[in-house]
């Protein structure tokens, strides 16, 4: 019995190493099936004879053809598991240690002895070492206690080999052969023997809350079904980015956009793109500006032609083609120069023509009223001024030397003003015209002759620059 105490102490020490899972996923396994007891090893004195008829079931094995053993075990890490097995049998074949003739070991029936055993097992699996998911070879040690008949009982030190073929992750067909060594002081009551176990093994205990085939201990998202490549986390849109890291978990998108799509390929993801189906620019939230004028197409009334924002993306009109926009063109219907705000420049020839007309303006003697034949001349002057709507002019009145200086000054002023007022009344802007009288101060001919005096009585039109 002192050996048995040592045996159980060793078993408890080994069993306390750690406690994790049966195969790193399922922490528990239960086995049941039938067992066979072979006493030949105790009868044979030579080692080679003990195992020479190891599988001679017909002559040596005691088999109870029912479910005759049950075992339960728990994985303790690093390919080790610890378990207990209970078994029953009936001994009807007992091999005697006789050699008559030499080498022959007779088998007798000791009287249908009941056999009960309770064993502790420390098992080491080689499955990971051979890198197989089906074939699971193993070795085990342990100890147990056996009852034989009504009054024989003893402890044994156990060891052996096993093999399990896994049909699935949870179910396997297992075989274990255990050599049960009894110590000399009890061997008379309990012979050393071999026990074979054949049955089914079921693994269980792994927790998979979300049912995705990945156990909770390895599942980064245990409450939500996911994929193995993402440690159990989901990728709803299948774009290779887990939902937790995917800014658009329900729509496929590339990694560079955190899983969001960019349908038009403009570098702006659809959820931030105001125009997701047409390439656009970031400054316009993904909408295009086809003509590049700074006005996006949806606000641009001239999408293919550059134009200012102030004119809704359209170029300002220039009807007369003088490169001065109509909005700035003082003469939008007449080609002019930029320097003259779109109006044509008044040439010297035009000024000469104006003065040629002006010299023919006739007033009633001593008055500022026009003679009847002068009106066509005034109309011609008006027409010329209308051709240059931004040009400004001064109207100067001159007299001959007849009369006093004061009366001549007044008369010249009134006559210049009369021409000015006529032009204003006929459509020339008042802001473009000034008038002044110079009296007899600037004659252009002699006042000693009638013809000279006629030349000095005149109206002159001058361009104001």
């Amino acid at each position: 019995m002192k050996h048995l105490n040592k045996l159980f102490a060793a078993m408890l020490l080994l069993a306390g190493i750690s406690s994790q899972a049966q195969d790193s996923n399922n922490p528990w396994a239960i086995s049941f099936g039938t067992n066979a007891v072979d006493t030949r090893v105790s009868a044979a004195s030579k080692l080679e004879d003990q195992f020479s008829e190891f599988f001679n079931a017909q002559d040596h094995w005691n088999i109870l053809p029912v479910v005759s053993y049950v075992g339960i075990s728990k994985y303790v890490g690093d390919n080790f598991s610890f378990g207990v097995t209970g078994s029953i049998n009936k001994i009807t074949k007992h091999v005697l240690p006789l050699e008559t003739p030499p080498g022959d070991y007779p088998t007798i029936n000791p009287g249908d002895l009941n056999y009960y055993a309770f064993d502790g097992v420390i098992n080491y699996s080689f499955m990971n070492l051979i890198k197989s998911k089906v074939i699971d070879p193993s070795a085990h040690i342990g100890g147990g206690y056996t009852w034989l008949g009504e009054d024989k009982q003893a402890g044994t030190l156990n060891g052996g080999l096993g093999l399990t073929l896994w049909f699935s992750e949870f179910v396997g067909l297992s075989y274990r052969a255990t050599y049960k060594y009894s110590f000399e002081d009890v061997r008379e009551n309990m012979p050393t023997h071999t026990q074979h176990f054949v049955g089914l093994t079921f693994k269980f205990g792994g927790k998979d809350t979300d049912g995705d085939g990945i156990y909770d201990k390895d599942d980064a998202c245990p409450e939500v079904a996911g994929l193995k490549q993402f440690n159990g986390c989901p990728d709803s849109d299948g774009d290779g980015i887990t939902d937790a890291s995917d800014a658009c978990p329900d729509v496929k998108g590339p990694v560079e956009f955190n899983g969001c799509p960019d349908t038009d390929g403009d570098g702006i993801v659809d959820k931030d793109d105001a125009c997701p189906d047409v390439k656009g620019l970031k400054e316009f939230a993904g909408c295009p500006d086809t003509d590049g004028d700074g006005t996006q197409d949806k606000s641009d009334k001239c999408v293919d032609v550059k134009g200012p924002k102030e004119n809704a993306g359209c170029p300002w009109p220039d009807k007369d083609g003088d490169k001065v926009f109509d909005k700035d063109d003082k003469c939008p219907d007449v080609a002019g120069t930029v320097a003259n705000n779109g109006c044509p420049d008044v040439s010297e020839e035009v000024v000469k023509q104006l003065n040629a007309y002006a010299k023919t303006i006739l007033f009633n003697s001593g008055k500022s009223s026009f003679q009847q034949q002068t009106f066509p001349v005034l109309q011609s002057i008006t027409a010329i001024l209308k051709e240059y709507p931004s040009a400004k002019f001064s109207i100067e009145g001159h007299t001959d030397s007849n009369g006093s200086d004061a009366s001549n000054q007044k008369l010249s002023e009134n006559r210049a003003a009369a021409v000015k007022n006529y032009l204003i009344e006929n459509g020339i802007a008042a802001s473009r015209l000034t008038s002044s009288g110079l009296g007899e101060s600037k004659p252009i001919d002699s006042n000693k002759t009638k013809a000279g005096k006629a030349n000095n009585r005149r109206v002159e039109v001058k361009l104001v620059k």
Side-chain angles (χ1 to χ4, degrees), residues 98-278:
L98 300 176
E99 298 189 15
T100 53
D104 187 20
Y105 299 89
T107 301
I108 66 169
N109 185 342
D112 294 350
L113 298 176
N114 289 328
Y115 176 96
Y116 303 96
F118 186 78
D119 302 298
V121 180
I122 297 172
N123 190 75
Y124 183 83
S125 171
F126 297 96
M127 189 174 184
N128 290 338
L129 297 181
I130 66 173
K131 301 185 184 303
S132 173
K133 294 184 179 180
V134 176
I135 301 172
D136 183 6
S138 62
H140 60 274
I141 61 171
Y145 205 78
T146 303
W147 292 264
L148 188 60
E150 295 181 359
D151 55 359
K152 295 180 180 181
Q153 52 187 290
T156 59
L157 182 62
N158 304 338
L161 301 174
L163 178 67
T164 301
L165 301 178
W166 293 104
F167 304 136
S168 70
E169 185 178 0
F170 307 102
V171 183
L173 175 65
S174 60
Y175 167 74
R176 186 171 82 237
T178 302
Y179 181 85
K180 294 187 170 183
Y181 178 81
S182 61
F183 297 98
E184 290 183 7
D185 56 351
V186 297
R187 192 166 296 161
E188 190 173 316
N189 290 327
M190 185 61 57
T192 297
H193 59 282
T194 301
Q195 189 171 17
H196 304 268
F197 301 88
V198 178
L200 295 175
T201 298
F202 296 87
K203 292 187 289 188
F204 64 96
K207 189 177 181 182
D208 179 15
T209 301
D210 53 22
D212 59 4
I214 302 166
Y215 295 103
D216 288 2
K217 72 180 187 65
D218 299 320
D219 198 330
C221 302
E223 305 292 334
V224 185
L227 305 172
K228 284 188 177 181
Q229 59 265 41
F230 298 128
N231 294 326
C233 289
D235 174 18
S236 299
D237 53 19
D239 59 5
I241 303 169
T242 61
D243 290 358
S245 302
D246 198 329
C248 301
D250 298 317
V251 187
K252 284 187 176 181
V255 174
E256 57 265 34
F257 297 133
N258 291 325
C260 289
D262 175 20
T263 302
D264 54 21
D266 59 4
I268 304 166
V269 296
D270 290 357
K271 69 183 184 70
D272 300 325
D273 198 328
C275 302
D277 298 314
V278 185

Side-chain angles (χ1 to χ4, degrees), residues 318-359:
D318 178 17
K319 290 185 291 185
D320 55 18
D322 59 3
K323 297 183 180 179
V324 179
F325 297 134
D326 289 356
K327 70 182 184 70
D328 302 318
D329 198 329
K330 302 294 184 182
C331 305
D333 299 312
V334 181
T337 64
V338 174
N340 200 30
N341 297 319
C343 291
D345 289 329
V346 181
S347 64
E348 291 182 8
E349 288 76 13
V350 171
V351 174
K352 287 180 181 179
Q353 186 178 10
L354 286 171
N355 283 296
Y357 282 126
K359 286 180 181 180

